[in-house]
Amino acid sequence: QLQPRTFRMISDRKRRHIGVIAQELAVLLPELVVDGEDGYLSVNYAELQMHTLIVVQHLMREVERLQKECIKS
């Protein structure tokens, strides 16, 4: 399961960042992970946001369906 993480980038050790680990994401959604020219994996966060939006929309529809089901009962 994908978990948010805090980390420091090699290029900027002073700042803490929050995100996901590319290797963990690659197991679930390999199309959102990019091989960088520097040899490191990176996350395509713009596409991850869109994927998250789709999942949230799906969950909202499911909640609405369940609410209607409860009202009928």
Side-chain angles (χ1 to χ4, degrees):
Q1 193 176 45
L2 198 58
Q3 297 292 321
R5 311 279 183 160
T6 57
F7 57 91
R8 296 182 194 281
M9 297 181 76
I10 292 172
S11 61
D12 184 10
R13 294 273 184 202
K14 293 180 182 178
R15 276 187 56 208
R16 288 180 50 177
H17 300 268
I18 188 164
V20 295
I21 303 300
Q23 291 85 343
E24 293 175 359
L25 181 61
V27 174
L28 300 170
L29 297 164
E31 64 275 16
L32 300 184
V33 178
V34 178
D35 279 315
E37 292 179 13
D38 57 3
Y40 290 100
L41 297 176
S42 61
V43 174
N44 182 336
Y45 281 101
E47 291 210 17
L48 180 58
Q49 289 174 341
M50 291 300 102
H51 180 78
T52 303
L53 177 60
I54 291 166
V55 171
V56 168
Q57 289 173 335
H58 172 76
L59 290 172
M60 289 173 66
R61 285 191 300 272
E62 182 66 12
V63 166
E64 289 171 3
R65 185 188 68 77
L66 291 170
Q67 285 175 332
K68 288 176 184 176
E69 191 176 299
C70 286
I71 291 170
K72 290 178 182 178
S73 299

